[in-house]
Amino acid sequence: MEKVSLAEAFGSFDETWSPRLAGELNGQAVKLAKADGEFVWHSHADADELFFVHDGRLRIEFREADDVVLEDGDLLVVPSGTEHRPVAEPEAEILLFEPSETRNTGDVETEETVTEPERLG
Amino acid sequence: MEKVSLAEAFGSFDETWSPRLAGELNGQAVKLAKADGEFVWHSHADADELFFVHDGRLRIEFREADDVVLEDGDLLVVPSGTEHRPVAEPEAEILLFEPSETRNTGDVETEETVTEPERLG
Protein backbone atom coordinates (compact mmCIF):
# COMPACT_ATOMS: atom_id res chain seq x y z
CA MET A 1 0.00 0.00 0.00
CA GLU A 2 1.50 3.27 -1.14
CA LYS A 3 -0.14 6.60 -0.62
CA VAL A 4 -0.42 9.08 -3.47
CA SER A 5 0.17 12.78 -2.83
CA LEU A 6 -1.81 14.75 -5.39
CA ALA A 7 0.71 17.61 -5.24
CA GLU A 8 3.65 15.28 -5.95
CA ALA A 9 1.74 13.34 -8.58
CA PHE A 10 0.72 16.45 -10.51
CA GLY A 11 4.33 17.67 -10.25
CA SER A 12 5.54 14.53 -12.00
CA PHE A 13 4.13 15.12 -15.49
CA ASP A 14 3.20 17.98 -17.81
CA GLU A 15 1.20 16.45 -20.64
CA THR A 16 -2.42 17.62 -20.81
CA TRP A 17 -5.53 15.49 -21.42
CA SER A 18 -3.45 12.36 -20.83
CA PRO A 19 -4.69 10.65 -17.66
CA ARG A 20 -2.28 8.90 -15.28
CA LEU A 21 -3.49 5.92 -13.26
CA ALA A 22 -3.17 6.70 -9.54
CA GLY A 23 -4.95 3.63 -8.17
CA GLU A 24 -7.67 1.05 -8.69
CA LEU A 25 -10.40 -0.30 -6.44
CA ASN A 26 -13.50 -2.39 -6.99
CA GLY A 27 -13.04 -2.30 -10.77
CA GLN A 28 -12.86 1.48 -10.75
CA ALA A 29 -9.84 3.64 -11.54
CA VAL A 30 -8.56 6.84 -9.99
CA LYS A 31 -6.97 8.87 -12.76
CA LEU A 32 -5.17 12.20 -12.60
CA ALA A 33 -5.10 14.53 -15.55
CA LYS A 34 -3.89 18.00 -16.42
CA ALA A 35 -6.29 19.95 -18.57
CA ASP A 36 -5.91 23.06 -20.70
CA GLY A 37 -8.57 24.63 -22.86
CA GLU A 38 -11.30 22.67 -24.59
CA PHE A 39 -11.58 18.90 -24.71
CA VAL A 40 -13.78 17.01 -27.17
CA TRP A 41 -17.55 16.51 -26.79
CA HIS A 42 -18.18 12.89 -25.78
CA SER A 43 -20.19 10.56 -23.57
CA HIS A 44 -19.63 7.22 -21.84
CA ALA A 45 -22.48 4.82 -22.59
CA ASP A 46 -22.10 2.61 -19.53
CA ALA A 47 -20.04 4.62 -17.09
CA ASP A 48 -20.83 7.37 -14.65
CA GLU A 49 -17.80 9.65 -14.24
CA LEU A 50 -16.69 11.69 -11.27
CA PHE A 51 -14.70 14.89 -11.77
CA PHE A 52 -12.83 16.45 -8.83
CA VAL A 53 -10.79 19.62 -9.27
CA HIS A 54 -7.55 19.68 -7.28
CA ASP A 55 -6.36 23.00 -8.66
CA GLY A 56 -7.63 25.45 -11.26
CA ARG A 57 -11.00 25.84 -12.90
CA LEU A 58 -12.91 23.37 -15.06
CA ARG A 59 -16.17 24.21 -16.80
CA ILE A 60 -18.20 21.22 -17.91
CA GLU A 61 -20.61 21.91 -20.73
CA PHE A 62 -23.71 19.84 -21.44
CA ARG A 63 -26.00 19.71 -24.47
CA GLU A 64 -29.18 19.86 -22.43
CA ALA A 65 -28.24 21.44 -19.13
CA ASP A 66 -26.43 24.49 -17.84
CA ASP A 67 -22.65 24.47 -17.58
CA VAL A 68 -21.19 23.50 -14.23
CA VAL A 69 -18.02 25.29 -13.10
CA LEU A 70 -15.73 23.40 -10.77
CA GLU A 71 -12.96 25.04 -8.76
CA ASP A 72 -10.51 23.70 -6.17
CA GLY A 73 -12.22 21.14 -3.97
CA ASP A 74 -15.40 20.81 -6.08
CA LEU A 75 -16.69 17.53 -7.44
CA LEU A 76 -19.41 16.49 -9.89
CA VAL A 77 -20.79 13.16 -11.05
CA VAL A 78 -21.72 13.05 -14.75
CA PRO A 79 -24.22 10.21 -15.32
CA SER A 80 -23.58 7.61 -18.03
CA GLY A 81 -24.82 8.54 -21.48
CA THR A 82 -24.65 12.28 -20.80
CA GLU A 83 -22.81 14.11 -23.54
CA HIS A 84 -20.36 16.59 -22.04
CA ARG A 85 -17.33 18.71 -22.85
CA PRO A 86 -14.74 19.63 -20.21
CA VAL A 87 -13.12 23.04 -20.71
CA ALA A 88 -10.23 24.13 -18.50
CA GLU A 89 -10.14 27.88 -17.90
CA PRO A 90 -7.27 28.11 -18.63
CA GLU A 91 -5.78 25.10 -16.84
CA ALA A 92 -6.81 22.59 -14.22
CA GLU A 93 -5.50 19.59 -12.34
CA ILE A 94 -8.30 17.05 -12.09
CA LEU A 95 -8.98 13.69 -10.51
CA LEU A 96 -11.31 11.33 -12.34
CA PHE A 97 -13.07 8.34 -10.90
CA GLU A 98 -14.63 5.91 -13.34
CA PRO A 99 -14.57 2.21 -14.34
CA SER A 100 -11.04 1.03 -15.17
CA GLU A 101 -11.93 0.33 -18.80
CA THR A 102 -13.41 3.78 -19.48
CA ARG A 103 -11.42 5.75 -22.02
CA ASN A 104 -11.05 9.52 -21.85
CA THR A 105 -12.87 10.39 -25.08
CA GLY A 106 -15.72 7.93 -24.52
CA ASP A 107 -17.68 7.21 -27.67
CA VAL A 108 -15.43 9.24 -29.98
CA GLU A 109 -11.87 8.61 -31.12
CA THR A 110 -9.50 11.54 -31.53
CA GLU A 111 -5.77 12.23 -31.30
CA GLU A 112 -6.38 12.67 -27.57
CA THR A 113 -7.86 9.19 -27.04
CA VAL A 114 -6.01 7.22 -24.35
CA THR A 115 -7.02 3.58 -23.96
CA GLU A 116 -4.43 2.46 -21.42
CA PRO A 117 -3.43 5.26 -19.05
CA GLU A 118 0.17 5.20 -17.87
CA ARG A 119 0.60 4.27 -14.23
CA LEU A 120 2.04 7.06 -12.07
CA GLY A 121 5.81 6.69 -11.57
CA MET B 1 -26.41 17.42 -11.70
CA GLU B 2 -25.30 19.39 -8.69
CA LYS B 3 -21.69 19.97 -7.81
CA VAL B 4 -20.45 19.40 -4.28
CA SER B 5 -17.97 21.82 -2.74
CA LEU B 6 -15.94 19.94 -0.12
CA ALA B 7 -15.42 23.14 1.89
CA GLU B 8 -19.17 23.85 2.00
CA ALA B 9 -20.05 20.22 2.65
CA PHE B 10 -17.65 19.89 5.59
CA GLY B 11 -19.00 23.19 6.92
CA SER B 12 -22.50 21.75 7.03
CA PHE B 13 -22.08 19.17 9.82
CA ASP B 14 -20.02 18.58 12.95
CA GLU B 15 -20.60 14.96 13.95
CA THR B 16 -17.49 12.78 13.74
CA TRP B 17 -17.22 9.24 12.30
CA SER B 18 -20.65 9.65 10.75
CA PRO B 19 -20.28 9.63 6.96
CA ARG B 20 -22.46 11.81 4.74
CA LEU B 21 -23.34 10.65 1.23
CA ALA B 22 -22.01 13.17 -1.31
CA GLY B 23 -22.74 11.21 -4.48
CA GLU B 24 -23.03 7.81 -6.10
CA LEU B 25 -21.67 6.39 -9.35
CA ASN B 26 -21.37 2.91 -10.79
CA GLY B 27 -22.58 1.33 -7.55
CA GLN B 28 -19.94 3.16 -5.54
CA ALA B 29 -20.50 5.92 -3.00
CA VAL B 30 -18.58 9.09 -2.27
CA LYS B 31 -18.85 9.72 1.46
CA LEU B 32 -17.54 12.61 3.53
CA ALA B 33 -16.65 12.17 7.16
CA LYS B 34 -15.14 14.16 9.99
CA ALA B 35 -12.74 12.18 12.12
CA ASP B 36 -11.29 12.73 15.56
CA GLY B 37 -9.02 10.41 17.46
CA GLU B 38 -9.16 6.63 17.14
CA PHE B 39 -11.75 4.68 15.21
CA VAL B 40 -12.35 0.94 15.63
CA TRP B 41 -10.23 -1.82 14.09
CA HIS B 42 -12.19 -3.38 11.23
CA SER B 43 -12.03 -4.74 7.69
CA HIS B 44 -14.36 -4.94 4.70
CA ALA B 45 -14.47 -8.47 3.31
CA ASP B 46 -15.52 -7.61 -0.23
CA ALA B 47 -14.74 -3.94 -0.63
CA ASP B 48 -11.60 -2.00 -1.38
CA GLU B 49 -11.78 1.43 0.26
CA LEU B 50 -10.23 4.70 -0.82
CA PHE B 51 -9.30 7.34 1.78
CA PHE B 52 -8.60 10.91 0.68
CA VAL B 53 -7.71 13.59 3.22
CA HIS B 54 -9.21 17.00 2.47
CA ASP B 55 -7.90 18.65 5.62
CA GLY B 56 -6.00 17.49 8.68
CA ARG B 57 -4.00 14.36 9.34
CA LEU B 58 -5.15 10.74 9.33
CA ARG B 59 -2.92 7.87 10.32
CA ILE B 60 -4.08 4.45 9.14
CA GLU B 61 -2.78 1.55 11.18
CA PHE B 62 -2.49 -2.02 9.87
CA ARG B 63 -1.93 -5.31 11.67
CA GLU B 64 0.72 -6.48 9.27
CA ALA B 65 2.15 -3.38 7.65
CA ASP B 66 3.56 -0.01 8.66
CA ASP B 67 1.19 2.84 9.42
CA VAL B 68 0.44 5.22 6.57
CA VAL B 69 0.02 8.90 7.40
CA LEU B 70 -2.21 10.94 5.11
CA GLU B 71 -2.26 14.71 5.06
CA ASP B 72 -4.11 17.26 2.88
CA GLY B 73 -4.31 15.99 -0.68
CA ASP B 74 -3.07 12.45 0.04
CA LEU B 75 -5.00 9.32 -0.90
CA LEU B 76 -4.65 5.62 -0.15
CA VAL B 77 -6.48 2.51 -1.30
CA VAL B 78 -6.95 -0.14 1.42
CA PRO B 79 -7.56 -3.52 -0.24
CA SER B 80 -10.56 -5.65 0.77
CA GLY B 81 -9.99 -7.92 3.74
CA THR B 82 -7.20 -5.75 5.18
CA GLU B 83 -7.78 -5.01 8.84
CA HIS B 84 -7.13 -1.35 9.52
CA ARG B 85 -7.74 1.38 12.07
CA PRO B 86 -8.03 5.05 11.09
CA VAL B 87 -6.72 7.50 13.70
CA ALA B 88 -7.17 11.24 13.21
CA GLU B 89 -4.38 13.33 14.71
CA PRO B 90 -6.20 15.12 16.16
CA GLU B 91 -8.88 15.77 13.52
CA ALA B 92 -9.37 15.26 9.82
CA GLU B 93 -11.89 15.82 7.07
CA ILE B 94 -11.89 12.78 4.81
CA LEU B 95 -13.48 11.60 1.61
CA LEU B 96 -14.20 7.89 1.27
CA PHE B 97 -14.86 6.02 -1.92
CA GLU B 98 -16.28 2.52 -1.61
CA PRO B 99 -19.25 0.38 -2.70
CA SER B 100 -22.57 1.97 -1.72
CA GLU B 101 -23.48 -0.88 0.64
CA THR B 102 -20.20 -0.74 2.60
CA ARG B 103 -20.70 0.27 6.21
CA ASN B 104 -18.15 2.31 8.12
CA THR B 105 -17.21 -0.29 10.72
CA GLY B 106 -17.02 -3.17 8.23
CA ASP B 107 -17.11 -6.55 9.92
CA VAL B 108 -17.69 -5.21 13.44
CA GLU B 109 -20.71 -3.51 14.97
CA THR B 110 -20.20 -0.68 17.46
CA GLU B 111 -22.00 2.46 18.59
CA GLU B 112 -20.33 4.14 15.62
CA THR B 113 -21.77 1.78 13.01
CA VAL B 114 -23.68 3.63 10.27
CA THR B 115 -25.57 1.48 7.80
CA GLU B 116 -27.36 4.18 5.81
CA PRO B 117 -25.36 7.40 5.60
CA GLU B 118 -27.40 10.59 5.53
CA ARG B 119 -27.38 12.42 2.21
CA LEU B 120 -25.68 15.81 2.26
CA GLY B 121 -27.68 19.01 2.35
Side-chain angles (χ1 to χ4, degrees), chain B:
Chain B
M1 281 173 293
E2 290 257 338
K3 75 173 178 181
V4 173
S5 148
L6 293 194
E8 277 180 31
F10 282 114
S12 73
F13 68 98
D14 290 318
E15 206 180 348
T16 57
W17 302 120
S18 181
R20 260 55 175 182
L21 186 61
E24 287 188 284
L25 66 158
N26 307 313
Q28 314 281 310
V30 181
K31 299 173 187 172
L32 305 182
K34 289 191 174 183
D36 66 338
E38 295 177 357
F39 198 54
V40 62
W41 278 103
H42 68 283
S43 64
H44 307 279
D46 301 312
D48 307 322
E49 186 171 35
L50 181 146
F51 291 85
F52 172 74
V53 171
H54 174 247
D55 190 43
R57 182 181 160 101
L58 185 74
R59 183 161 47 86
I60 306 185
E61 300 178 358
F62 300 98
R63 296 290 192 194
E64 291 169 18
D66 292 340
D67 297 357
V68 175
V69 175
L70 304 178
E71 296 180 297
D72 304 21
D74 290 343
L75 64 88
L76 181 75
V77 175
V78 177
S80 64
T82 306
E83 205 179 4
H84 60 283
R85 178 167 74 161
V87 182
E89 298 183 320
E91 294 177 353
E93 294 178 348
I94 61 181
L95 180 152
L96 300 161
F97 203 94
E98 60 195 6
S100 295
E101 66 276 15
T102 301
R103 67 181 199 181
N104 60 342
T105 59
D107 60 330
V108 300
E109 181 137 4
T110 72
E111 286 181 2
E112 288 158 327
T113 296
V114 175
T115 306
E116 292 267 344
E118 202 175 308
R119 189 169 285 272
L120 270 175

Side-chain angles (χ1 to χ4, degrees), chain A residues 14-58:
Chain A
D14 290 318
E15 206 179 349
T16 58
W17 301 119
S18 180
R20 260 56 173 181
L21 185 62
E24 287 188 283
L25 66 158
N26 306 313
Q28 313 283 309
V30 181
K31 299 173 187 172
L32 306 182
K34 289 192 173 181
D36 65 338
E38 295 176 358
F39 198 54
V40 62
W41 278 102
H42 68 282
S43 64
H44 307 278
D46 301 312
D48 306 324
E49 185 171 37
L50 181 146
F51 290 85
F52 172 74
V53 171
H54 173 249
D55 190 45
R57 182 182 160 100
L58 185 75

Side-chain angles (χ1 to χ4, degrees), chain A residues 105 109-114:
Chain A
T105 58
E109 182 138 3
T110 71
E111 286 181 1
E112 285 158 329
T113 296
V114 174

